[in-house]
Amino acid sequence: MRVTRLKNVRIVDGLQGSSRPTDLYILDKTLARKIPADLRIDADYDLENHVVMAGGIDIHTHIGGGKVNLARLLWPERSKKLDDQKPWLAPLSAPVPGTWETGRRYLQMGYTTCFEPAMLPANARQSHIEMRDTPWLDTGGYVVLGNDRMLLNMLASRASQQQVNDYVAWMVVSSAAMAIKVVNAGGIDAFKFNQRQLNVDETHPQLPVTPRDILWSLSTAAEELGLAHPLHVHCSNLGTPGNIDSTLATLDAVEGRRIHLTHAQYHCYGKSGPHGFSSEASKLADRVNRSNHISIDVGQVLFGQTITLSADTMHQFANRKLASPRKQIFQDLECQAGCGLLPFKYKESQYVHGLQWAIGLELFLRIQDPKRVFLTTDHPNGGPFTGYPHLIRLLMDYDFRMSIFDRLHRDVKATSSLPSLKREYRLDEIASITRLGPARALGLQQRGHLSPGSIADVVVYRNDDNAETMFANPVMVFRRGQLVLRNGEILDDCPKTVLVSEFETRSVAMQWGNHSSHREQWEKLYGYSPWLTALTDQEFADEGLDVEHALWQPAD
Amino acid sequence: MNQSHRRPEICSLCALVCELPDGSTESPRLDGFCSKQARLKPFVPIRLQSIQLQVSQDDAALTKVTQRIEQASAILVSGRIHSVESARSAIELANRFSATIDPWDSDGAFDAIASLQRVGGYSVSLGEARDHSDLWIVVGDDRLLEQTPRLPFAMHRGGSQRLLLLGTWSDASVRIWQAAGFEVLCLSVCVEGVPKYLSQATRLGQDHCQTELGKWILQAQYTTILYSPWALQVTYRDLWSDLLSRWVLTRNETARIATLCWGSLQSTFHQTCTWLTGFPGRIHFDNQQAFYDPNRFAAKDWCRRQDSGDQIARRSLLLWIDDSLDELPDELVEQNIPKLIIGPNQNKLACPSDLWLPTGIMGVTHSANIFRGDQTILAKIPVEGRGSPTHYLSPSDWVGRLLR
Ligand code: SF4
Ligand SMILES: [Zn+2]
């Protein structure tokens, strides 16, 4: 057994505040606080003035699949590295870089597990293969449902919840998914019929189904199946002034079942204020504070050039004139969803962009439980993931936050309540929003914290008053106990794992595709059999990947 | 995971990746299945039976090949690279040996990519259009059907669907589209002017529209315009696509319409290269970094440059990776560049110094992931049930050995 000791280090994992300097052991691939006296220590690191955290977990980052690859294609220009002295502050070569660069840059920030949140069932194999080609990260994906005509037809014909559950179970297993995501429930399909908006209680243009029906039946399926992660929801009316109403209606639609709202920053806008656009972050934060069954990730906006990409063709198309530079890609995809891509530049001087920045921070600062609000930029939508250390500094340092706030459009300064939020995140709260919280929300029992027996994905940071410097530049990263990065330099490759959801009926879920009436319906809709796009564990084994099954357990 | 289901056998002869009907290759159900293609190439499993590949696993051969690669002053990795696995290997090889990489015959793909990078567009996948489109417009000529014989059948969902053929189509082709079930209107027009023609036909609105074409488009709920860059007889394909895409994007402000740009098997390379490096191909690796220049790093231009001087030609090396069953292109055979061929065919070896590392056949002796032509579905071509003869190496097996 290989034993590594991290000596005199402060343990920060969100389970309790920062520890006093202590020793942490890595025994092969897992963690321990003590070891038998007769064990020989193979590697010993004295880490006074350092903190150790679990590997970062990104619950929502677009890193693999058709639209991600289109975003790469859309941006052939490459930026030059800006600062040789501080390579960690260098921008990505492009807003959506290739998989090699993505894996490297995540590792260089201390992230070890990432989830692609929008796998189209028909395109799940591509998503997984791209993630397989993203080194150093363990990965998983959420399968997009709720605009798939198969489900819409089932709901329209008033299929039983059991039939819906069986279908959802098949989709989750055949896509090797961690969770189900719904994007603008029913709205993407409605747009294919030339409808430009669909509110939570509006009926689909062709079928007697409303977004509320879809949200209810999918959240029920997630709960009754016992999926590791609750329904992951991109609400209706993305980015539209006044969308707080439909966001709250979405929360009502699941009637108390667990729900995760993604990139919530884009979904809590009012329409008052100087430009008909205002913050309603406090309304959403209040709701989250009052309801233990809701978690969110923020989708923080960071200033600069990026590409926005979303399965929500309806709203991406509505925003197409905002593309900068002026080029856009849209797709209607395989009776399941679509995608829209717009290059986009967030500017400090622009009222809406400045307010979006403030709204995201408001959510972080107003939501009290750091285990139910997670740090994301919805990479690349709010900005590339390499902005995380900067975002952490914004949360930990009021003066720094205000120094940027002071540069924003004067109407943002006149109307935003951000200055009154004096809260500064502590290190253990940062560990919660980047590790422990996402792990709990995803049913990853052995990740996200440093308890004895958990997976030895470990990051060591040097204490620094400047949190951005600290989090952009880990001193060491261990993957499964193996030292893979030291002082920014990558030492070695490491094996990779695919994370999928465990649930009780998982072992029989694939039988759905053998059922003759299901096959008939599928072939009629798609023109091919259900098995053309279905993935198997064997494929992952052929690619040299382990498969880990995540299981939800209620938090104590 | 329950693996007891029946997984389909999938044809890997073109980018339609058809699921094959149940039964053996002698099954009468295969009658008429892709007969045109079958006339050109015997059906793959049958062909395998008649192929006796020589397999060299000799370390001496590998050493010789490695030496040749290391001695070369300029290397191009090219070929017909049709699977994710071969693409990955080819890119890894190019990265390791600081080579230029571009698949053969990639002009059509790069014209489409150039247009996408400049303008973007609104496109639709095959399954979506099949289910949802009440009007198809197919632009091009018979070559589309020669390359992808079963496309009309994959496009038609049953029931009445209208199809407009624009370009140069033979009567035989028109009959195939009709046999698939479409109500066909064939207009023999010069393809060059199609984007303009479409926008003029719809400009006046339904009440004033004079042409049949315009009426069909204006009545349709969802129109799909299908074309393939390699079956498009126009002077500047990229500019042609720019015009069409701009019109389609604008028209979507009030109606629903999309394009379906049908790619070849090589689109799998472009996809894989994009996710690995951020670029679709035509890159040169230097010091582990990829430099992209679609105008400088085209395979054919590289060969022309090398071939222009005898000395240069002999010091350069073409690494040809082939997933197809075709012979080496004639234009390449004539060129004086040493070649290392990794593929199932020995080809006509022009230079005495040419080397060949024989492989099995994609989808027959080794499994592969390949994209359907609309690049939405990545199909796994399995080899189970075909007796998977393990002693045949795939291109990626060979590259793995070379890199080790
Ligand atoms: S159309 Fe293409 S994929 Fe389908 S059977 Fe014919 S050659 Fe094979
Ligand atoms: Zn997202």
Side-chain angles (χ1 to χ4, degrees):
Chain A
M1 179 182 294
R2 186 175 164 78
V3 182
T4 303
R5 176 165 62 178
L6 309 179
K7 233 167 53 175
N8 295 323
V9 74
R10 278 172 61 214
I11 293 176
V12 182
D13 70 357
L15 287 173
Q16 63 260 322
S18 307
S19 77
R20 292 172 180 288
T22 182
D23 295 347
L24 181 71
Y25 296 90
I26 300 172
L27 305 184
D28 279 346
K29 296 179 179 176
T30 53
L31 294 174
R33 291 291 170 89
K34 290 194 186 90
I35 55 164
D38 57 339
L39 267 191
R40 194 173 56 91
I41 292 170
D42 301 288
D44 206 7
Y45 302 99
D46 191 344
L47 296 169
E48 210 185 324
N49 202 29
H50 289 73
V51 297
V52 59
M53 290 190 179
I57 299 174
D58 199 336
I59 196 169
H60 189 113
T61 173
H62 296 275
I63 53 170
K67 64 178 175 297
V68 180
N69 226 22
L70 275 174
R72 297 183 181 115
L73 204 60
L74 191 59
W75 200 269
E77 302 84 4
R78 283 300 178 265
S79 58
K80 297 271 172 290
K81 207 160 87 174
L82 284 187
D83 191 340
D84 275 344
Q85 300 306 309
K86 296 178 183 165
W88 59 89
L89 296 180
L92 285 171
S93 65
V96 185
T99 53
W100 291 341
E101 186 176 353
T102 302
R104 177 169 59 80
R105 294 301 293 261
Y106 261 115
L107 185 77
Q108 286 171 331
M109 298 191 310
Y111 273 71
T112 53
T113 309
C114 289
F115 292 89
E116 160 57 51
M119 295 189 306
L120 198 71
N123 188 245
R125 183 172 283 117
Q126 179 182 355
S127 289
H128 281 293
I129 287 191
E130 286 187 30
M131 289 192 274
R132 180 273 185 207
D133 284 344
T134 308
W136 298 292
L137 297 179
D138 289 345
T139 54
Y142 315 149
V143 63
V144 173
L145 299 178
N147 283 282
D148 43 328
R149 248 164 243 155
M150 199 78 161
L151 177 77
L152 299 183
N153 288 335
M154 285 171 89
L155 298 181
S157 62
R158 302 292 173 243
S160 71
Q161 185 62 39
Q162 186 57 50
Q163 287 172 309
V164 172
N165 292 356
D166 292 346
Y167 166 72
V168 169
W170 148 263
M171 281 304 217
V172 168
V173 179
S174 65
S175 310
M178 209 23 228
I180 351 170
K181 184 195 192 192
V182 59
V183 179
N184 183 8
I188 302 170
D189 198 60
F191 184 54
K192 292 172 182 171
F193 292 90
N194 205 14
Q195 182 153 327
R196 307 281 158 155
Q197 202 194 334
L198 193 71
N199 258 315
V200 178
D201 287 304
E202 245 174 290
T203 307
H204 181 280
Q206 296 289 311
L207 299 165
V209 180
T210 64
R212 186 181 293 273
D213 299 333
I214 298 167
L215 291 160
W216 187 88
S217 78
L218 284 178
S219 62
T220 305
E223 189 146 303
E224 291 185 355
L225 288 170
L227 298 184
H229 183 54
L231 184 61
H232 193 96
V233 181
H234 159 139
C235 298
S236 316
N237 298 320
L238 171 81
T240 312
N243 64 11
I244 185 66
D245 294 338
S246 51
T247 300
L248 296 178
T250 298
L251 293 174
D252 291 339
V254 302
E255 297 179 2
R257 287 178 190 80
R258 289 202 306 150
I259 182 170
H260 178 85
L261 285 197
T262 189
H263 41 73
Q265 177 276 127
Y266 292 102
H267 299 279
C268 52
Y269 303 152
K271 42 184 173 187
S272 55
H275 303 270
F277 181 79
S278 56
S279 168
E280 293 291 359
S282 64
K283 274 194 188 155
L284 180 59
D286 283 353
R287 176 64 80 88
V288 175
N289 286 335
R290 280 188 282 116
S291 325
N292 281 331
H293 66 282
I294 303 173
S295 59
I296 70 155
D297 66 84
V298 170
Q300 176 67 33
V301 156
L302 297 173
F303 300 112
Q305 178 71 53
T306 191
I307 294 179
T308 67
L309 52 85
S310 173
D312 195 342
T313 34
M314 180 188 260
H315 292 101
Q316 287 289 81
F317 192 82
N319 288 329
R320 81 179 189 94
K321 299 229 159 107
L322 303 178
S324 167
R326 273 288 177 103
K327 48 186 179 181
Q328 320 99 358
I329 299 179
F330 302 96
Q331 294 191 324
D332 289 335
L333 293 169
E334 216 63 7
C335 314
Q336 292 177 342
C339 75
L341 294 93
L342 312 174
F344 202 84
K345 192 163 189 172
Y346 292 103
K347 298 184 189 126
E348 290 177 351
S349 57
Q350 230 263 12
Y351 172 75
V352 170
H353 303 173
L355 199 61
Q356 286 178 313
W357 177 87
I359 289 171
L361 294 174
E362 260 194 83
L363 285 174
F364 277 116
L365 298 167
R366 289 183 188 280
I367 294 176
Q368 282 144 15
D369 181 358
K371 288 193 269 308
R372 288 192 292 120
V373 54
F374 311 135
L375 185 141
T376 64
T377 56
D378 187 16
H379 163 79
N381 287 308
F385 64 86
T386 42
Y388 289 178
H390 171 80
L391 175 53
I392 291 173
R393 186 175 178 201
L394 289 171
L395 297 175
M396 293 187 77
D397 184 341
Y398 177 81
D399 292 339
F400 178 63
R401 193 154 76 219
M402 284 305 107
S403 71
I404 291 177
F405 183 80
D406 287 341
R407 302 203 298 249
L408 304 185
H409 189 284
R410 61 193 158 91
D411 289 339
V412 176
K413 286 189 279 190
T415 55
S416 171
S417 63
L418 194 68
S420 68
L421 298 169
K422 299 271 174 65
R423 178 177 172 190
E424 292 182 330
Y425 267 62
R426 299 184 311 265
L427 270 183
D428 61 299
E429 291 178 315
I430 295 298
S432 281
I433 63 173
T434 55
R435 278 107 169 135
L436 184 65
R440 286 212 168 156
L442 290 159
L444 306 172
Q445 314 293 336
Q446 315 242 279
R447 294 170 191 251
H449 56 88
L450 301 171
S451 304
S454 54
I455 290 174
D457 284 355
V458 174
V459 193
V460 178
Y461 298 104
R462 187 178 296 111
N463 268 326
D464 196 311
D465 289 341
N466 182 333
E468 181 167 354
T469 309
M470 176 171 164
F471 282 95
N473 196 22
V475 177
M476 292 180 186
V477 182
F478 295 85
R479 286 276 284 110
R480 302 265 164 144
Q482 178 194 350
L483 183 61
V484 291
L485 177 139
R486 188 135 197 216
N487 296 325
E489 197 190 325
I490 291 174
L491 307 173
D492 216 343
D493 270 348
C494 63
K496 285 169 55 74
T497 299
V498 179
L499 294 140
V500 299
S501 179
E502 185 53 87
F503 56 97
E504 207 184 319
T505 53
R506 183 182 179 87
S507 60
V508 292
M510 290 291 254
Q511 285 171 11
W512 188 95
N514 281 334
H515 198 286
S516 59
S517 75
H518 299 152
R519 283 181 58 161
E520 241 168 63
Q521 285 168 37
W522 188 283
E523 279 167 21
K524 188 162 175 251
L525 182 62
Y526 293 109
Y528 46 82
S529 84
W531 299 103
L532 182 70
T533 50
L535 285 147
T536 62
D537 281 2
Q538 186 55 44
E539 289 185 49
F540 293 115
D542 292 346
E543 294 271 353
L545 297 165
D546 291 331
V547 178
E548 183 180 318
H549 294 238
L551 183 64
W552 181 66
Q553 274 174 3
D556 27 270
Chain B
M1 197 177 284
N2 183 346
Q3 314 263 346
S4 65
H5 45 262
R6 183 195 75 85
R7 297 195 76 81
E9 295 222 359
I10 297 168
C11 175
S12 55
L13 280 179
C14 85
L16 197 55
V17 290
C18 297
E19 290 179 272
L20 300 178
D22 283 334
S24 71
T25 46
E26 289 84 47
S27 160
R29 293 190 58 188
L30 284 177
D31 281 353
F33 206 82
C34 224
S35 51
K36 211 163 183 179
Q37 188 83 358
R39 268 209 302 279
L40 299 172
K41 303 168 194 160
F43 207 61
V44 168
I46 298 169
R47 178 177 168 123
L48 181 71
Q49 291 163 14
S50 63
I51 284 184
Q52 291 300 318
L53 290 181
Q54 311 160 23
V55 179
S56 157
Q57 304 212 12
D58 189 5
D59 281 349
L62 268 177
T63 313
K64 193 172 164 196
V65 167
T66 317
Q67 277 169 356
R68 180 72 59 77
I69 296 175
E70 277 165 356
Q71 281 159 7
S73 56
I75 300 174
L76 171 73
V77 179
S78 189
R80 304 183 190 98
I81 307 171
H82 296 167
S83 72
V84 170
E85 290 75 8
S86 296
R88 264 185 198 140
S89 304
I91 294 160
E92 248 183 279
L93 205 57
N95 188 18
R96 174 75 74 87
F97 294 105
S98 297
T100 302
I101 183 163
D102 177 38
W104 201 248
D105 266 337
S106 63
D107 287 351
F110 273 93
D111 285 340
I113 288 166
S115 172
L116 202 66
Q117 289 176 334
R118 275 199 299 263
V119 178
Y122 205 127
S123 65
V124 61
S125 75
L126 179 62
E128 178 73 47
R130 174 186 175 278
D131 185 61
H132 190 51
S133 212
D134 53 350
L135 174 62
W136 286 87
I137 300 174
V138 179
V139 187
D141 52 46
D142 291 353
R143 283 176 300 169
L144 187 65
L145 292 184
E146 279 158 24
Q147 286 289 331
T148 314
R150 293 191 58 79
L151 188 60
F153 302 90
M155 285 160 52
H156 192 259
R157 70 158 179 266
S160 86
Q161 260 178 305
R162 287 176 154 183
L163 183 128
L164 268 167
L165 285 175
L166 302 180
T168 318
W169 298 91
S170 66
D171 290 348
S173 285
V174 174
R175 278 196 298 276
I176 294 175
W177 291 102
Q178 284 166 336
F182 287 106
E183 179 192 343
V184 180
L185 176 64
C186 180
L187 299 177
S188 173
V189 296
C190 165
V191 171
E192 195 87 58
V194 162
K196 217 170 175 184
Y197 187 47
L198 289 172
S199 86
Q200 275 166 355
T202 50
R203 187 168 296 156
L204 294 174
Q206 204 151 337
D207 295 344
H208 307 281
C209 181
Q210 301 295 315
T211 63
E212 194 70 0
L213 168 75
K215 282 184 186 140
W216 275 30
I217 298 176
L218 292 167
Q219 281 163 13
Q221 303 293 313
Y222 193 105
T223 304
T224 300
I225 304 170
L226 183 140
Y227 65 96
S228 187
W230 39 260
L232 212 53
Q233 210 52 278
V234 296
T235 323
Y236 301 108
R237 270 180 302 221
D238 57 337
L239 300 181
W240 186 93
S241 300
D242 285 2
L243 276 180
L244 183 68
S245 295
R246 281 206 185 92
W247 175 68
V248 166
L249 278 166
T250 308
R251 185 146 178 79
N252 271 300
E253 285 170 6
T254 50
R256 292 314 326 273
I257 183 166
T259 58
L260 203 171
C261 176
W262 187 255
S264 69
L265 278 170
Q266 217 131 255
S267 44
T268 299
F269 173 86
H270 301 301
Q271 286 280 347
T272 310
C273 195
T274 303
W275 77 61
L276 289 175
T277 67
F279 304 113
R282 296 198 173 172
I283 48 186
H284 178 73
F285 282 98
D286 191 7
N287 202 12
Q288 311 268 318
Q289 259 196 299
F291 296 90
Y292 171 63
D293 191 336
N295 303 311
R296 268 179 65 210
F297 301 138
K300 289 186 183 176
D301 293 346
W302 187 96
C303 289
R304 231 169 279 132
R305 279 200 302 272
Q306 303 304 316
D307 201 31
S308 57
D310 233 27
Q311 284 297 323
I312 305 171
R314 253 178 274 125
R315 272 187 279 121
S316 53
L317 178 67
L318 171 62
L319 278 168
W320 182 265
I321 295 182
D322 213 322
D323 284 317
S324 79
L325 298 170
D326 297 335
E327 298 289 324
L328 209 63
D330 286 342
E331 55 193 305
L332 205 53
V333 174
E334 285 150 21
Q335 281 177 357
N336 191 22
I337 303 167
K339 300 166 201 71
L340 166 62
I341 295 155
I342 305 177
N345 279 332
Q346 187 168 16
N347 291 295
K348 310 159 207 158
L349 299 182
C351 289
S353 53
D354 285 352
L355 296 167
W356 175 46
L357 296 175
T359 69
I361 297 171
M362 180 178 81
V364 180
T365 61
H366 52 271
S367 62
N369 285 292
I370 61 180
F371 274 94
R372 195 173 67 182
D374 62 352
Q375 299 169 61
T376 300
I377 285 182
L378 178 59
K380 169 99 178 175
I381 314 289
V383 293
E384 304 106 289
R386 289 183 189 170
S388 51
T390 48
H391 55 281
Y392 294 102
L393 296 184
S394 67
S396 55
D397 292 334
W398 274 121
V399 171
R401 286 165 163 238
L402 280 173
L403 293 179
R404 270 201 300 278

